[in-house]
Amino acid sequence: MEPSVEQSPHHAYPGHWEADVVLRDGGTARIRPITTDDAERLVSFYEQVSDESKYYRFFAPYPRLSAKDVHRFTHHDYVDRVGLAVTVGGEFIATVRYDRIDATGRPASAPADEAEVAFLVQDAHQGRGVASTLLEHIAAVARERGIRRFAAEVLPANNKMIKVFRDAGYTQQRSFEDGSVHLTLDLEPTAESLAVQRAREQRAEARSVQRLLAPGSVAVIGAGRNPGGVGRTVLRNLLGAGFTGRTYAVNSALDADQDTIDGVPAHRSLGEIGEPVDLAVVAVPAERVPEAVADCGEHGVQGLVVLSAGYAEWGAEGRERQRELVRQARSYGMRIIGPNAFGIINNSEAVRLNASLAPERPASGRIGLFTQSGAIGIALLSGLYRRGAGLSTFISAGNRADISGNDFLQYWYEDPDTDVALLYLESLGNPRKFTRLARRTAAVKPVVVVKGARHSGSTPPGHAVPVSRIPDATVSALMRQAGVIRVDTVTEMVDAGLLLADQPLPAGGRVAILGNSESLGLLTYDACLAEGLRPRPPRDLTTAATPQDFRDALAEALADEGCDAVIVTAIPWVGEDGEAEQGDGEVLATALHAAAAAGPAKPVAVVHVEIGGLAEALAAATSTVAQQRPAQAQPSGPAPGRTPATPATTAPPATTAPPAITAPPATTAPPVMPAPPGDTDAAPEAAESGGARAVGRIPAYPAAERAVRALSEAVKYAQWRRQAAVPGKVPEFLDETIDEPGAAARIDAALGKDPDPRGRPLSPDEARELLACYGVAVRPTLPAPDAEAAVAAAGRLGYPVALKTTAPHLRHRADLGGVRLDLATESAVRRAYGELTELLGKPAELRPVVQAMAPRGVDTVVRATIDPAAGAVLSFGLAGAPSELLGDTAHRLVPATDRDAAELIRSIRAAPVLFGWRGSAPVDTAALEELLLRVSLLVDDHPEVVAVALEPVVVATQGLTVLGASVRLSPPPARTDLGPRRLSNY
């Protein structure tokens, strides 16, 4: 909302302070600065506040605002005096104001850094988290304007307001003076305040999703009078699923004598219903949607599923129509799934909601599924149905203009009905937030992602996302760092989801293979090796094996402490009459279920060929409760006296099993929002297994490679879970060798008072000085414009030296002859200089430099970049062909921990070169890890550092040497993952 001409001309209206927010109950509201045009709104708002709340605000009876009050509360300079309002439907529901004061409490201007703050919330909206959200936003505004502390006077009886300040997580002081509580809050964010903010964000966003998935009543707007059409289809699907709430049909063109459609009450508008409606499914043409949204907003609808097309997928006009749709819905406090959505499904028996175009509600299960594409959603539902998998919830969000995969990660994090989250994503609207939420969710349940539109420039229409400069392989590496299971196809996503939803996590990568086909067993064995697993020699039960033989062999494998998982391979077996049994898969499935139930909790998967009914029988779960995983795995090794059934194949040696993984508790209670603010505990310990146990579906696969790939993902995820239970840290000794103020001063000096928004590269000397502030020593170079200068430089640096060109086309290109090493004498330097200039060009073109030789070692490269989509990324690889030609580079998000640094150098394919490959001496990886941490800290502490490249970094057996460095600075890019809570812009 722009201010009128009466607004102070000295400070422009701060439009960037406007924000849509989700409140504690899941509804939305808008926060914006108060302007001179708000006088009537302010008076109307104040009239609806109770006398008690007015007394708490002004410390005296204050029935109405005077004209002077109204003028004071609507005229601000947006620096020393600021007022913010929370609006729903365009009307105020709360306000907050600060006034800058000096040490005596009198009005002041900068450089005074303290302000008095006061809140007022309408009684009808108290308890929705309005004041705590306002505090976050007014604190961010104050910090922007140079205010570091808030002071507040609160009556002792005003417990709600005291609690808002107390629970915010800021450093604070309290005292009792003159009959009131005096509070002082330090506005510098703390770890506690950030934890509080994110816990509240999770609670609010999860609640906003829950309101959509578990409505008490649903209205289908656009249900046709005649059979067919989108609206009528959704209405039929709602009824067919047995929705437990109230259902209504709305059609403005109903005949005067028509009061039902498909047996449900039908009305011309929501206002005619006369009862609250929680969820509206909108299935009318795009040009009629605004009318429907207004009708919903005016009658208290909590959320919308917009199936209508004709929005951002139709070009510029559609994008503007989509922005207006979101703006309109949020103004009424409603959230949207869509537009162009396929719909939502909730399989909870307490709800049984199918507000989608899917004709059948899928079976109940433990998988939550989110997709941005309706077509992919249909394919996934069909594939899961064929495999006998069950879903807890399904969402196809279409253009995901409002609610996105991030919101559903917030919901699934604590949803007791969901054990695995599957997401098909075509874009990431807020990648940093996605990574943070995915890491938190993956710590308690698997998150499996397929990323469509992976190549640059192929973002689907209607998905407004930041443009990323990093390759897809980097995105994949960063997802895996966050614990996300990234797969390439929807088939792989279903394969992994089936195993993770119904089988316990493996304690390691040791796999037993058994079955009645030697060839299928060997294929499985090879696939295990290709995926980095450690298979035992396949056990051939022969084609004469009966279901009982399978049961006994599976029970024996599960009992083997040297086995972490079992893959059963099966082909039709030969019956007593010599004929191959084709259709009795149920008998085999029963045998396998019995063995799995009686044995230790280890994952079991089946690879089968043409056994009728086997997959369906295996998919018939004996239990739909959350899987319980062992709280502690026992040390394991080869069982005494065991000999493999197929001795011709040698298996890798068994190793001690790592600790087992804990899982969320099994429960069927309704979702419970998070515990107290700031609580970030992971899932509770799972119950220990013992004796016979309930077993879920055993996943069946038509190919060995698919089963092994799914198991491999489970093994890697389980390992990540074990490591995430004890997070890494940044070694404290680094802080003692870092000059952060000195680095900040150099950065400010380099950028200047009016920095170029495009940024600027630092000179070699500037880069060397900045890196030195963080303990990164770059070996100096001296220019050599002629042979005499080269000799003089060598004398200053000390022999032996290196002579190399720094021209861009020859930099780091020893293969082109631009580098001469180990020059030990003046004559050697002169000779090398002459060869360079004769072979490659004039000195002015080559820009030769002289540098002292470094100890021999392995050439590596360390980089850090700021990507607008992913954030700060730390990268490592071997210099030259491995990283440049083969793309053998590893990546981690900044800030990196000691564990991240160790994993970074070990995760490239060429890592053996660093650890003594082919008899060479191992290099000093500890020094390399420290260097990575120092670069990570530099980029994390100073967002102006948008790119760092150290190349080459020669890592010797003791220590390392940085031979080249480049740094680029730029004004700090906007951060979407910090600051007060807000919804994405429309």
Side-chain angles (χ1 to χ4, degrees):
M1 178 179 200
E2 294 296 333
S4 70
V5 294
E6 298 178 27
Q7 198 66 46
S8 169
H10 301 294
H11 303 287
Y13 177 80
H16 63 287
W17 292 352
E18 295 183 357
D20 292 315
V21 296
V22 183
L23 302 177
R24 181 182 300 158
D25 61 359
T28 65
R30 185 160 185 80
I31 295 177
R32 65 169 176 83
I34 297 174
T35 75
T36 55
D37 295 329
D38 288 322
E40 291 185 8
R41 293 186 185 88
L42 182 66
V43 171
S44 175
F45 156 72
Y46 194 76
E47 289 174 350
Q48 298 177 62
V49 175
S50 70
D51 290 340
E52 181 183 44
S53 293
K54 293 173 182 176
Y55 185 88
Y56 285 153
R57 169 64 176 85
F58 293 103
F59 291 19
Y62 215 89
R64 64 187 58 85
L65 297 175
S66 66
K68 183 178 180 181
D69 292 329
V70 173
H71 183 277
R72 182 163 64 96
F73 292 145
T74 56
H75 286 68
H76 307 93
D77 63 8
Y78 301 131
V79 177
D80 299 326
R81 302 182 310 281
V82 172
L84 301 180
V86 182
T87 67
V88 173
E91 299 301 321
F92 286 8
I93 66 168
T95 63
V96 64
R97 174 186 172 91
Y98 81 64
D99 293 88
R100 195 188 300 258
I101 58 175
D102 60 19
T104 65
R106 301 177 66 84
S109 298
D113 61 358
E114 185 170 333
E116 187 174 32
V117 66
F119 297 77
L120 186 59
V121 181
Q122 248 178 35
D123 296 68
H125 294 277
Q126 292 178 11
R128 300 183 65 199
V130 175
S132 59
T133 305
L134 262 182
L135 177 57
E136 290 179 19
H137 283 260
I138 196 67
V141 168
R143 289 193 297 269
E144 181 182 326
R145 296 311 194 199
I147 292 171
R148 298 292 173 258
R149 290 181 306 282
F150 273 162
E153 300 290 335
V154 185
L155 288 175
N158 193 356
N159 293 318
K160 292 181 180 178
M161 199 67 241
I162 293 174
K163 189 174 188 301
V164 167
F165 288 118
R166 185 184 67 226
D167 292 346
Y170 295 114
T171 303
Q172 57 185 271
Q173 295 178 345
R174 286 193 292 173
S175 60
F176 188 78
E177 302 174 9
D178 299 327
S180 66
V181 178
H182 181 79
L183 294 163
T184 303
L185 277 75
D186 186 340
L187 299 183
E188 186 66 26
T190 65
E192 183 181 356
S193 68
L194 184 60
V196 168
Q197 179 178 312
R198 289 179 172 174
R200 288 172 172 168
E201 173 193 64
Q202 190 274 332
R203 183 166 48 240
E205 293 179 359
R207 176 59 180 156
S208 72
V209 171
Q210 187 186 38
R211 298 203 316 177
L212 292 165
L213 289 175
S217 55
V218 177
V220 180
I221 301 176
R225 292 172 293 174
N226 301 314
V230 173
R232 192 69 175 266
T233 299
V234 174
L235 182 63
R236 184 182 66 243
N237 294 344
L238 274 167
L239 298 174
F243 175 55
T244 58
R246 302 180 304 279
T247 306
Y248 305 98
V250 176
N251 188 325
S252 60
L254 283 177
D255 295 332
D257 59 347
Q258 187 174 5
D259 58 2
T260 64
I261 295 179
D262 285 342
V264 305
H267 304 273
R268 292 175 183 79
S269 69
L270 279 173
E272 292 184 5
I273 294 176
E275 296 181 3
V277 173
D278 298 329
L279 176 68
V281 180
V282 181
V284 298
E287 60 271 15
R288 290 178 50 201
V289 170
E291 177 186 351
V293 173
D295 193 19
C296 292
E298 290 166 4
H299 292 93
V301 173
Q302 296 180 350
L304 306 174
V305 177
V306 181
L307 308 182
S308 311
Y311 288 89
E313 76 278 8
W314 282 19
E317 182 181 348
R319 281 194 293 272
E320 183 55 40
R321 185 183 297 126
Q322 182 167 300
R323 293 189 189 100
E324 183 55 38
L325 167 65
V326 177
R327 185 182 299 115
Q328 183 186 16
R330 287 182 180 173
S331 73
Y332 288 111
M334 297 183 294
R335 300 209 68 184
I336 299 175
I337 290 180
N340 196 27
F342 186 75
I344 59 176
I345 297 173
N346 183 356
N347 268 332
S348 168
E349 283 302 308
V351 182
R352 298 201 298 272
L353 173 72
N354 182 6
S356 78
L357 297 174
E360 297 290 337
R361 182 168 67 98
S364 295
R366 312 292 308 174
I367 297 174
L369 175 60
F370 176 91
T371 172
Q372 290 176 200
S373 163
I376 297 297
I378 294 170
L380 284 168
L381 287 175
S382 177
L384 289 165
Y385 176 79
R386 289 195 306 270
R387 303 284 293 278
L391 296 179
S392 60
T393 45
F394 165 78
I395 309 93
S396 178
N399 292 2
R400 65 122 182 85
D402 180 25
I403 285 187
S404 69
N406 285 348
D407 296 282
F408 280 91
L409 283 176
Q410 298 277 41
Y411 174 76
W412 283 327
Y413 169 68
E414 288 193 325
D415 178 28
D417 294 330
T418 301
D419 283 344
V420 179
L422 306 184
L423 298 95
Y424 171 80
L425 304 174
E426 294 177 347
S427 60
L428 296 175
N430 190 336
R432 296 183 185 184
K433 182 175 179 179
F434 173 81
T435 302
R436 169 168 59 85
L437 300 185
R439 181 191 294 271
R440 185 186 190 195
T441 304
V444 295
K445 59 187 67 173
V447 177
V448 187
V449 171
V450 171
K451 178 70 168 61
R454 291 179 290 176
H455 302 290
S456 177
S458 57
T459 299
H463 294 214
V465 299
V467 178
S468 177
R469 293 190 294 262
I470 59 178
D472 183 69
T474 306
V475 175
S476 181
L478 299 181
M479 282 191 177
R480 289 194 177 276
Q481 182 188 359
V484 173
I485 300 171
R486 170 80 183 272
V487 294
D488 295 327
T489 67
V490 292
T491 300
E492 291 177 351
M493 179 166 71
V494 172
D495 286 345
L498 290 175
L499 182 71
L500 292 163
D502 294 302
Q503 294 296 305
L505 290 177
R510 300 167 301 177
V511 182
I513 303 168
L514 61 92
N516 61 353
S517 167
E518 182 178 10
S519 298
L520 194 53
L522 291 174
L523 284 174
T524 305
Y525 182 88
D526 290 342
C528 287
L529 292 176
E531 289 291 339
L533 301 176
R534 292 174 290 164
R536 305 286 296 273
R539 180 177 178 184
D540 184 13
L541 304 179
T542 77
T543 55
T546 65
Q548 184 61 45
D549 294 329
F550 275 91
R551 176 175 178 172
D552 294 342
L554 177 56
E556 186 177 351
L558 290 172
D560 185 351
E561 293 183 347
C563 159
D564 300 315
V566 182
I567 297 179
V568 178
T569 62
I571 61 174
W573 61 91
V574 178
E576 293 181 359
D577 57 359
E579 296 294 328
E581 297 285 348
Q582 297 288 339
D584 203 5
E586 293 184 8
V587 178
L588 178 57
T590 300
L592 296 178
H593 271 298
K602 298 177 182 179
V604 177
V606 174
V607 179
H608 70 99
V609 178
E610 298 297 332
I611 300 183
L614 176 60
E616 294 80 2
L618 288 170
T622 59
S623 172
T624 57
V625 299
Q627 286 294 309
Q628 291 184 344
R629 283 143 187 163
Q632 181 116 26
Q634 300 299 322
S636 57
R642 279 291 301 275
T643 55
T646 312
T649 308
T650 303
T655 60
T656 301
I661 310 301
T662 60
T667 176
T668 56
V672 178
M673 293 302 105
D679 184 296
T680 56
D681 289 344
E685 293 290 329
E688 294 190 14
S689 62
R693 57 189 179 87
V695 177
R697 301 171 176 90
I698 296 178
Y701 302 88
E705 296 78 9
R706 288 172 59 179
V708 171
R709 175 70 188 276
L711 178 59
S712 172
E713 295 294 352
V715 169
K716 287 182 283 190
Y717 169 69
Q719 181 181 8
W720 180 90
R721 278 273 290 268
R722 288 188 291 271
Q723 293 175 343
V726 184
K729 60 184 182 299
V730 177
E732 294 181 1
F733 74 88
L734 291 181
D735 297 335
E736 302 172 2
T737 57
I738 288 175
D739 180 11
E740 184 177 350
R746 285 173 170 79
I747 290 170
D748 290 342
L751 286 175
K753 294 183 178 180
D754 188 20
D756 187 336
R758 295 172 299 179
R760 55 155 291 205
L762 295 184
S763 69
D765 288 340
E766 290 175 323
R768 186 179 300 109
E769 292 174 0
L770 177 61
L771 290 166
C773 293
Y774 274 72
V776 178
V778 181
R779 182 151 293 203
T781 59
L782 295 178
D786 53 45
E788 293 303 321
V791 170
R796 288 178 57 188
L797 295 173
Y799 290 97
V801 297
L803 177 67
K804 53 188 180 181
T805 64
T806 59
H809 66 289
L810 296 172
R811 190 174 180 85
H812 306 309
R813 293 298 307 275
D815 57 313
L816 297 181
V819 179
R820 295 291 189 274
L821 302 176
D822 288 318
L823 306 177
T825 63
E826 288 187 18
S827 60
V829 172
R830 294 180 190 277
R831 184 171 58 254
Y833 199 95
E835 292 173 352
L836 280 181
T837 54
E838 181 180 352
L839 177 65
L840 299 175
K842 298 179 180 179
E845 300 171 351
L846 302 182
R847 306 175 195 175
V849 296
V850 177
Q851 191 173 49
M853 283 296 297
R856 296 288 185 180
V858 178
D859 289 0
T860 65
V861 57
V862 174
R863 291 191 177 94
T865 57
I866 305 295
D867 183 80
V873 179
L874 183 66
S875 305
F876 170 77
L878 298 192
S883 58
E884 296 176 14
L885 179 63
L886 303 178
D888 187 16
T889 306
H891 312 274
R892 291 295 184 272
L893 288 173
V894 170
T897 66
D898 54 355
R899 176 175 292 162
D900 292 328
E903 291 175 352
L904 197 59
I905 65 176
R906 289 164 175 80
S907 57
I908 59 173
R909 296 191 299 277
V913 174
L914 303 170
F915 294 93
W917 182 61
R918 298 181 68 177
S920 61
V923 301
D924 191 349
T925 54
L928 186 55
E929 292 170 16
E930 181 180 329
L931 176 67
L932 289 165
L933 291 173
R934 291 183 182 277
V935 174
S936 171
L937 280 175
L938 171 63
V939 175
D940 190 44
D941 290 343
H942 304 282
E944 301 89 348
V945 180
V946 296
V948 176
L950 307 182
E951 184 180 6
V953 177
V954 182
V955 190
T957 55
Q958 290 187 348
L960 55 78
T961 307
V962 180
L963 297 183
S966 63
V967 177
R968 185 174 184 83
L969 303 182
S970 179
R975 293 289 299 270
T976 58
D977 58 331
L978 298 177
R981 292 170 283 157
R982 62 172 62 213
L983 290 171
S984 300
N985 293 330
Y986 33 74

